[in-house]
């Protein structure tokens, strides 16, 4: 990864920070997308410690945005694209779970906006840089909880019968559907796209932050039963850096192995419909039409 530029969301704690540290040790330069300036500064200091000899031109950096907001996600994508001549890897990892339904200032359900729309919109904003930097990779953190979930296109904002875990599972299904459709549209362009299950990880996931999200029962379960963030980061790092994964695209990985996701996650008609709805909700249009 020497000299490679990696853009990473959700990189100031948990599996995101663990992945950032591993990639920095391998020589990558990290560009973090974060909400909290103090947490980002602490992570940048940790990254600097594992990257001896880093020059100002190769220093790790952070950009700040609320990824639950489409406008903020578009803005930070423009900022990063303007600042970075090349992007070798984009890791969409930031996410949350909400015990009760919350709505963003833009009117979208918070879990859907953060866990899916942010992936979709940020990737769109940085895709030009990745295409110009090919070969490049998109890595999307999903989850095994997608199994059994189905999208209801008449209620994507979960206004009816809200369940925190159920809505989270749908957002992870959306991650896999998006990844598969992105890979299909990127075929032959030198940019791969894969999703993954990191495992059940003991981290800050589920802990309420800045008045947003949170599911204390999930947080307690993960703290008691989860694997370490370092273990959870292994598949992210594998997909971002391994030569073995260089040609893989449109696949879903668990423990660094490609596995078959649910039937719903492999439904191309559903993926295409989600893509169209995401373009509409995000106010964007991908040039790649598939």
């Amino acid at each position: 990864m020497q000299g490679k530029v990696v853009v990473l969301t959700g990189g100031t704690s948990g599996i995101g920070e663990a992945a950032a540290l591993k990639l920095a040790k391998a020589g990558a330069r990290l560009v973090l997308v974060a909400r909290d300036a103090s947490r980002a500064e602490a992570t940048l200091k940790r990254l600097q410690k594992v990257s001896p000899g880093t020059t100002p031109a190769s220093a790790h950096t952070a950009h700040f945005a609320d990824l639950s907001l489409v406008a903020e996600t578009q803005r930070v994508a423009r900022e990063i694209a303007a600042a970075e001549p090349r992007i070798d890897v984009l890791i969409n990892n930031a996410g949350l779970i909400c015990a009760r339904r919350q709505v963003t200032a833009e009117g979208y359900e918070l879990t859907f906006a953060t866990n899916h729309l942010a992936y979709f919109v940020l990737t769109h904003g940085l895709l030009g840089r990745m295409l110009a930097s090919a070969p490049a990779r998109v890595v999307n953190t999903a989850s095994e909880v997608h199994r059994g979930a189905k999208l209801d296109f008449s209620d994507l904002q979960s206004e009816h019968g809200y369940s925190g875990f159920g809505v989270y599972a749908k957002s992870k299904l959306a991650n896999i559907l998006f990844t598969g459709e992105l890979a299909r549209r990127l075929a032959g362009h030198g940019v791969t796209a894969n999703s993954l299950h990191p495992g059940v990880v003991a981290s800050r996931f589920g802990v309420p932050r800045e008045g947003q999200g949170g599911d204390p029962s999930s947080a307690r379960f993960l703290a008691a039963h989860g694997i370490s963030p370092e273990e959870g980061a292994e598949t992210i790092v594998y997909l971002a850096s391994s030569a073995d994964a260089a040609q893989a695209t449109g696949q879903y990985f668990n423990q660094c192995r490609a596995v078959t996701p649910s039937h719903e996650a492999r439904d191309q008609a559903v993926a295409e419909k989600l893509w169209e709805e995401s373009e509409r909700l995000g106010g964007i249009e991908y040039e790649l039409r598939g």
Side-chain angles (χ1 to χ4, degrees):
M1 295 298 289
Q2 194 66 44
K4 301 290 186 183
V5 177
V6 178
V7 177
L8 169 64
T9 72
T12 61
S13 66
I15 61 173
E17 185 177 56
L21 290 166
K22 288 174 182 282
L23 291 168
K25 286 179 182 178
R29 185 168 72 82
L30 274 295
V31 178
L32 305 178
V33 182
R35 279 176 57 99
D36 186 287
S38 61
R39 293 184 64 83
E41 185 61 33
T43 298
L44 289 173
K45 288 180 180 178
R46 294 185 190 103
L47 292 172
Q48 213 64 29
K49 286 181 180 179
V50 301
S51 308
T54 302
T55 66
S58 63
H60 308 291
T61 60
H63 295 258
F64 299 94
D66 180 349
L67 294 177
S68 72
L69 297 174
V70 170
E72 282 279 285
T73 306
Q74 291 175 332
R75 174 191 58 77
V76 80
R78 290 193 298 268
E79 289 180 2
I80 295 171
E84 301 297 335
R86 67 175 299 114
I87 296 173
D88 300 283
V89 182
L90 167 61
I91 303 173
N92 289 303
N93 172 69
L96 50 73
I97 185 171
C98 304
R100 61 181 180 85
R101 186 175 184 270
Q102 297 183 52
V103 178
T104 71
E106 295 172 332
Y108 299 142
E109 188 277 317
L110 182 60
T111 307
F112 177 82
T114 306
N115 293 9
H116 167 63
L117 270 186
Y119 282 30
F120 191 85
V121 173
L122 186 64
T123 303
H124 173 267
L126 299 181
L127 192 55
R129 281 286 179 264
M130 287 185 283
L131 288 167
S133 308
R137 310 183 190 193
V138 179
V139 179
N140 294 326
T141 300
S143 173
E144 276 290 278
V145 303
H146 81 277
R147 299 186 188 277
K150 291 188 176 182
L151 298 184
D152 179 356
F153 287 98
S154 69
D155 189 25
L156 279 179
Q157 305 309 318
S158 302
E159 296 181 76
H160 307 290
Y162 183 89
S163 158
F165 184 82
V167 170
Y168 175 73
K170 290 178 183 180
S171 75
K172 297 292 101 180
L173 170 61
N175 293 156
I176 301 173
L177 288 164
F178 164 53
T179 303
E181 183 64 10
L182 179 65
R184 189 177 73 83
R185 292 173 183 243
L186 283 170
H189 290 276
V191 180
T192 62
N194 293 287
S195 59
L196 69 114
H197 171 60
V200 177
V201 182
S203 69
R204 294 180 67 252
F205 189 76
V207 177
R209 52 184 174 82
E210 300 176 22
Q212 269 196 357
D215 185 341
S217 63
S218 294
R220 289 192 296 271
F221 177 84
L222 294 174
H225 302 285
I227 61 176
S228 71
E230 289 71 26
E231 291 175 287
E234 287 179 2
T235 305
I236 294 176
V237 174
Y238 172 79
L239 289 174
S241 62
S242 171
D244 292 341
Q247 302 305 315
T249 193
Q251 297 188 55
Y252 171 64
F253 284 76
N254 187 353
Q255 296 183 336
C256 301
R257 294 184 297 107
V259 297
T260 303
S262 70
H263 175 76
E264 186 79 1
R266 292 178 280 121
D267 190 320
Q268 188 171 326
V270 174
E272 290 175 352
K273 188 168 185 178
L274 176 64
W275 186 282
E276 292 169 2
E277 280 296 295
S278 301
E279 284 190 325
R280 183 181 67 83
L281 295 169
I284 58 177
E285 184 174 331
Y286 276 72
E287 292 183 10
L288 297 166
R289 308 312 300 170

